[in-house]
Amino acid sequence: MGDESRFLCEAIELARANIGEGGRPFGAVLVRDGEVIATAVNEIHTTNDPTSHAEMNAIRAASRKLGSPDLGGCAVYASGHPCPMCMAAMRLSGVSQVFYAYSNDDGAPFGLSTATVYEDLAKPFSEQSMTIRHVPVRPERRADLYAAWAEAQGRLK
């Protein structure tokens, strides 16, 4: 069995164990250079945190373990098709590869697909199901927020 299959089987077994704990069937394994850095499961059932997806939890654990938010060169192996939130987090953290065993089509009959979320996000803001508006508020007598951050980081002279 190759590495992809081995790590995907590990993610599936994590997901299967999570079912036994009352959770959803999602597990993730985060790997760098063939070494498992972090594993995680979906913990929404115990945390009541809607962002507590397996991939997000693996990213958080790997970042803590590595002492960096940069997960460049890492791969994520997920039992199911990562949702848009998880996919965005993987991109923002620098994860370079994502592999998943079960597709949105596989999950759809069981209410475990995020295909409609992907479809909605592909629309312009004005056509999405959630109201999204840019309101450019700038409090008076305060430094620009982003300029203040850049200055605090030593990026502005």
Side-chain angles (χ1 to χ4, degrees):
M1 179 182 313
D3 281 351
E4 287 175 15
S5 295
R6 179 169 51 99
F7 293 132
L8 285 170
C9 284
E10 187 174 342
I12 292 167
E13 287 309 310
L14 288 165
R16 195 174 302 281
N18 202 41
I19 294 170
E21 298 294 322
R24 292 175 173 234
F26 299 108
V29 178
L30 195 144
V31 176
R32 180 185 276 165
D33 298 327
E35 176 189 350
V36 174
I37 305 297
T39 63
V41 296
N42 182 298
E43 296 179 348
I44 293 172
H45 66 294
T46 59
T47 64
N48 294 315
D49 176 354
T51 70
S52 192
H53 291 196
E55 300 90 339
M56 296 293 287
N57 292 334
I59 289 167
R60 291 174 182 131
S63 294
R64 283 191 300 270
K65 182 175 181 176
L66 297 173
S68 173
D70 181 2
L71 300 179
C74 291
V76 170
Y77 297 85
S79 60
H81 188 147
C83 76
M85 172 186 67
C86 293
M87 199 66 82
M90 289 185 281
R91 286 180 180 262
L92 289 169
S93 67
V95 167
S96 57
Q97 295 179 307
V98 179
F99 304 91
Y100 58 94
Y102 285 80
S103 69
N104 272 327
D105 288 342
D106 295 327
F110 308 98
L112 297 172
S113 172
T114 57
T116 57
V117 178
Y118 274 104
E119 290 168 8
D120 197 41
L121 288 171
K123 298 174 185 175
F125 284 170
S126 63
E127 297 174 24
Q128 290 187 26
S129 61
M130 178 173 61
T131 301
I132 304 169
R133 292 186 340 180
H134 174 226
V135 182
V137 172
R138 304 296 186 269
E140 291 182 36
R141 295 183 294 278
R142 299 288 291 168
D144 179 79
L145 181 63
Y146 292 170
W149 173 82
E151 185 176 349
Q153 299 296 309
R155 296 176 189 218
L156 286 182
K157 306 275 187 247

